[in-house]
Amino acid sequence: MTSFQHGTPPPAPSHVPGPAVLGARGLTKSYDATRALTDLSLNVHAGESVAVMGPSGGGKTTLLHCLAGIITPDTGQVLLQLDGGTTDIARLDDRERSALRRSTFGFVFQQGLLIPELTALENVAVALMLLGVDRSSAEHSAAQWLAALGLAGMEDRRVGQLSGGQAQRVAIARAQVSGASVIFADEPTGALDSGTSAEVMDILLRSTTGTGKTLVVVTHDDDVARRCARTVRLRDGRIVSDSLSPAAGAVA
Ligand code: ADP
Ligand code: MG
């Protein structure tokens, strides 16, 4: 796999959002009798940071999972526009969506879902090895990412030997090491104290939108939302507000 482009570590200046990279059109999703999304449409622009807020049960995670091709909506489209082509993610089969998630998207969850038996370095490298990158190249890229996110010297620690904030940095590195252009984060600082939460968000923003990538982050934290360029609020499966932040685009 010589043509594979590894992700390049940050930092770089922020910039103005470009064209829509993801377009949700009329998404509806129900779980049995529960309606999670109702006719929801949303454009996410290249390079944008979008905070998704709203009450628990409002459909935030379901929206994120539809946008990222983790689940498919019952109706509607999720148009991914990359490299001059448009793909409706909602029409792809499981295998195609899984390939897309590995190559194009990155994920950070509330608990990093790191593999406890592996070291920090191995947890990041595994994302590349799943794409067929050989172990030594994968570990080289992983080490660069860990260093860029302030974890130099912690490569050989296992998950249990990292603080919550350090573990989330590893998760952020893993989400991006494959060169993903869109990063999805679902309450990534939800399990951290406020000081650590601010640091981790800073790193997440700098390493994503700070380098021209797109970030969609579910959060309950107003400070996090303020640091994103845009905030979309969901309630009962619908968007109830969509506003640009006064400090739009600022990452520092
Ligand atoms: P949020 O992330 O905003 O808390 P979710 O998208 O997780 O909201 O949930 C939206 C609604 O869908 C809620 O009523 C929730 O209980 C329901 N729901 C979510 N996932 C499932 C599931 N796998 N099975 C059944 N109901 C679900
Ligand atoms: Mg949720």
Side-chain angles (χ1 to χ4, degrees), residues 6-178:
H6 293 194
T8 314
S14 65
H15 72 112
V16 176
V21 63
L22 274 173
R25 304 275 184 279
L27 298 187
T28 298
K29 178 73 182 178
S30 297
Y31 300 100
D32 301 319
T34 306
R35 176 65 71 88
L37 296 178
T38 300
D39 193 24
L40 187 148
S41 296
L42 172 72
N43 276 330
V44 177
H45 299 94
E48 209 171 30
S49 49
V50 182
V52 178
M53 301 191 81
S56 181
K60 303 180 297 295
T61 294
T62 302
L63 172 61
L64 210 72
H65 287 187
C66 285
L67 290 176
I70 294 173
I71 59 172
T72 50
D74 298 331
T75 63
Q77 299 175 303
V78 179
L79 303 177
L80 172 69
Q81 306 200 55
L82 266 189
D83 307 325
T86 302
T87 306
D88 183 357
I89 297 172
R91 300 281 90 77
L92 299 178
D93 65 26
D94 284 352
R95 196 184 46 80
E96 291 167 323
R97 281 187 284 117
S98 156
L100 187 70
R101 289 197 302 270
R102 282 185 191 156
S103 62
T104 305
F105 298 145
F107 299 91
V108 184
F109 299 98
Q110 177 167 354
Q111 308 286 352
L113 297 186
L114 300 173
I115 303 165
E117 291 79 13
L118 300 186
T119 65
L121 187 75
E122 290 166 341
N123 264 286
V124 178
V126 81
L128 280 172
M129 290 164 70
L130 283 171
L131 289 168
V133 176
D134 68 82
R135 186 182 190 106
S136 86
S137 313
E139 292 193 343
H140 180 72
S141 295
Q144 286 186 318
W145 266 96
L146 290 177
L149 302 191
L151 295 174
M154 304 201 181
E155 295 83 358
D156 296 332
R157 292 204 193 178
R158 289 182 202 284
V159 179
Q161 299 170 311
L162 297 169
S163 70
Q166 288 164 346
Q168 281 305 66
R169 291 183 193 212
V170 174
I172 292 168
R174 185 185 56 183
Q176 298 193 70
V177 72
S178 309

